[in-house]
């Protein structure tokens, strides 16, 4: 097997392994990014998210990055997902989010799903 083929097989295998470790949940989005619980009035770009209280863990999640992929709609029959994934940085707390929810910036949400959906199912991994 050539080195190129070995690299391709390794890349595919590692991607599958990472997604196998992923947590499932749901994503929503928000549009006001400052102030934030982690960085106060300092802007952190637009590929950001607010963590649910459990994940936020009194600020321990601040600055951590998560790779997120849309897996489906929350309504039977809708297909809001876009191909690919987005990587976001945790910059805020979403106090009203459920323990399986991430609140993404609108720009991050739009990378993985149609914003008209409002809420989508996701897989995410650190």
């Amino acid at each position: 097997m050539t080195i190129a083929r070995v690299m391709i097989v390794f890349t595919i295998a590692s991607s599958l392994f990472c997604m196998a470790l992923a947590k499932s949940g749901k994503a929503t989005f928000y549009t006001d990014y400052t102030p934030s619980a982690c960085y106060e009035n300092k802007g952190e770009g637009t590929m950001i998210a607010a963590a649910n209280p459990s994940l936020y863990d009194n600020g321990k999640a601040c600055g951590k990055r998560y790779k997120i992929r849309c897996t489906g709609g929350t309504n039977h029959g809708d297909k809001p997902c876009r191909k690919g994934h987005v990587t976001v940085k945790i910059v805020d707390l979403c106090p009203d989010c459920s323990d399986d929810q991430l609140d993404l910036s609108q720009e991050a949400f739009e990378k993985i799903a149609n914003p008209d959906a409002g809420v989508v199912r996701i897989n995410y991994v650190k």
Side-chain angles (χ1 to χ4, degrees):
M1 196 180 276
T2 66
I3 292 176
R5 286 186 183 178
V6 169
M7 293 301 294
I8 290 170
V9 169
F10 176 77
T11 301
I12 292 170
S14 65
S15 293
L16 292 173
F17 179 72
C18 286
M19 290 319 288
L21 297 176
K23 294 180 181 179
S24 60
K26 59 188 173 203
T28 52
F29 68 89
Y30 66 113
T31 56
D32 292 327
Y33 309 145
T34 54
S36 72
C38 299
Y39 299 100
E40 298 177 353
N41 289 313
K42 182 180 175 214
E44 291 296 312
T46 58
M47 293 301 129
I48 57 174
N52 63 61
S54 178
L55 183 64
Y56 185 74
D57 193 17
N58 293 317
K60 291 177 185 169
C62 291
K64 293 195 173 159
R65 296 185 185 276
Y66 288 86
K67 183 177 178 178
I68 302 169
R69 182 178 312 279
C70 180
T71 60
T74 56
N75 297 319
H76 186 68
D78 65 354
K79 299 185 188 303
C81 295
R82 296 191 170 129
K83 292 182 181 181
H85 69 274
V86 66
T87 300
V88 297
K89 178 180 179 181
I90 300 297
V91 301
D92 210 351
L93 167 65
C94 178
D96 297 327
C97 285
S98 60
D99 282 347
D100 69 340
Q101 182 179 352
L102 290 173
D103 201 16
L104 309 180
S105 67
Q106 184 173 354
E107 292 85 350
F109 190 95
E110 287 175 349
K111 293 276 187 188
I112 61 167
N114 181 337
D116 289 342
V119 181
V120 293
R121 291 188 313 247
I122 58 169
N123 282 338
Y124 62 100
V125 65
K126 214 184 320 180

